[in-house]
Amino acid sequence: MPPPLTTIAREWGRIGCVGFGGPPAHIALLRELCVDRRRWIAPDEFEDAIAAVNLLPGPASTQLSVYCAYRVRGRLGALVGGLCFILPGLVLILALAAAFLADDPPAWLQGAGAGAGAAVAAVAVRAGVDLIRPSWTRGRIPYILLGALAAATLGPWLVIVLLACGLASLALRLRAAGVFAPPLFLAVATAGSGGLGALCWTALKVGALSYGGGFVIIPLMQADAVQTHHWMTDAQFLNAVALGQVTPGPVVHTVAVVGYAVAGVGGGLLAALIAFSPSFLFVLGGADRFHDLLRNQHARAFIDGAAPAALGAILGSAIPLAAALTEWWQAAILAASALLLLALRAGVVPTLLVAGTTGALIALAGGPLP
């Protein structure tokens, strides 16, 4: 007998509240709930679901949470479970955005944001290295390098490079099999000059056009929010990324801070709605075909190019994030954070909290603020 919706809401809401640490933590919590404790899903089916959502664009851990709720309680359960997984972190990050993006926040709060933001580039390198190491092969190097270069230099056009890498990998696979693959051309429409239309396009890129999730969305948002539309300063954007790391739930919540900068709470909710909607649509529309997706060689060939390019983009995003720092003490925090994260393998959330506390103390001591 399937569990009641109240159980889905309670269990998925709990994961949304305690899910610090990004996708690895979310996957572990979902596995403990659905496979080990409740035994709603068989272990091999859970592993297949992880593989399937990694073939889809957008935030994989969000899609996995929606899929697990779908398997347990059908479409209505998927909607309830997915929303309860997303909402706790979304509410918290919007409340923090209101404080950090206020017209005149207290100096200690500005310092905390500047300190945590200074560590973000090191977090990006840690995330990229951790993801690349298990899947490292010589054939992936060109895609990784292209993704890193694009994230460091192309900003809003990064999504085109990710798609092009996937299509190039597919074309090479088809030609190796003796199938003619015509030249590939990409046409991408861009949003208008700003406002809610541009915000919707940014959120759509985050939720439906990005492979790799997590930090791969950072250069996409940074180019739109800071360089193209000037919704935020570099310092404010770094704060937004840090908030996305220290709050529970998916890192895609960061787009809600960008939306808040554009149009307040309404803008934040709109950005989150557009960014997360594709995850629900992909899963509700295709959950029964996940096994077919895993056997589809064309889909796997596309991912063989797009996925390593996305991982390279995570590494490349560290360059514009570090370049946005303006104070000497932020550079010192970045160096210390890199030591903690890369050499000592400290946790991401504790490192960001230490960096934020250091920044707050520097501000209270009268240090310069960005």
Side-chain angles (χ1 to χ4, degrees):
M1 183 175 180
L5 289 176
T6 53
T7 299
I8 301 295
R10 182 181 69 251
E11 295 290 0
W12 268 253
R14 177 183 63 83
I15 293 174
C17 289
V18 303
F20 294 90
H26 305 155
I27 292 171
L29 289 167
L30 287 167
R31 186 195 306 274
E32 187 274 334
L33 169 66
C34 297
V35 178
D36 300 334
R37 179 156 55 91
R38 296 280 191 164
R39 298 186 179 180
W40 287 324
I41 300 175
D44 57 345
E45 184 181 358
F46 188 83
E47 297 301 326
D48 285 348
I50 295 174
V53 297
N54 279 312
L55 291 175
L56 300 173
S61 64
T62 301
Q63 292 163 353
L64 184 63
S65 75
V66 175
Y67 175 79
C68 289
Y70 171 81
R71 279 287 292 107
V72 173
R73 196 57 169 76
R75 296 183 185 277
L76 185 56
L79 291 172
V80 171
L83 288 174
C84 289
F85 173 74
I86 292 167
L87 286 175
L90 178 61
V91 171
L92 179 57
I93 203 169
L94 285 174
L96 291 171
F100 278 90
L101 296 178
D103 291 334
D104 188 24
W108 69 267
L109 190 59
Q110 294 182 59
V120 165
V123 176
V125 174
R126 162 75 172 268
V129 169
D130 286 352
L131 289 169
I132 288 173
R133 185 184 291 120
S135 59
W136 177 267
T137 62
R138 184 172 298 177
R140 290 187 163 205
I141 294 176
Y143 300 117
I144 292 172
L145 293 177
L146 283 171
L149 182 63
T153 60
L154 296 184
W157 303 105
L158 168 62
V159 66
I160 298 179
V161 175
L162 299 182
L163 293 173
C165 286
L167 292 173
S169 176
L170 175 59
L172 290 173
R173 183 74 59 85
L174 292 174
R175 286 179 177 173
V179 179
F180 174 69
L184 300 170
F185 297 94
L186 288 174
V188 177
T190 57
S193 58
L196 293 180
L199 174 63
C200 291
W201 172 237
T202 299
L204 181 63
K205 287 190 290 185
V206 166
L209 297 177
S210 58
Y211 285 87
F215 265 90
V216 76
I217 69 175
I218 301 305
L220 296 175
M221 290 192 293
Q222 185 177 23
D224 285 355
V226 178
Q227 299 159 15
T228 302
H229 301 298
H230 308 291
W231 295 323
M232 310 173 81
T233 65
D234 277 319
Q236 288 173 330
F237 183 78
L238 289 173
N239 289 350
V241 178
L243 292 178
Q245 289 291 306
V246 300
T247 50
V251 178
V252 175
H253 279 146
T254 305
V255 76
V257 186
V258 176
Y260 186 93
V262 177
V265 173
L269 293 175
L270 175 64
L273 174 65
I274 293 174
F276 285 110
S277 290
S279 293
F280 287 89
L281 294 175
F282 290 149
V283 174
L284 293 177
D288 293 332
R289 302 178 182 88
F290 272 13
H291 291 292
D292 295 333
L293 178 63
L294 290 172
R295 290 193 296 266
N296 189 306
Q297 296 303 311
H298 292 168
R300 286 192 171 277
F302 180 88
I303 294 300
D304 283 344
L311 300 183
I314 295 173
L315 287 177
S317 69
I319 295 176
L321 291 171
L325 304 180
T326 58
E327 304 297 337
W328 65 267
W329 59 267
Q330 288 183 293
I333 287 179
L334 173 57
S337 299
L339 177 64
L340 287 172
L341 291 168
L342 301 175
L344 303 180
R345 305 297 296 174
V348 169
V349 173
T351 299
L352 288 170
L353 292 176
V354 169
T357 301
T358 303
L361 293 174
I362 290 173
L364 290 173
L369 292 172

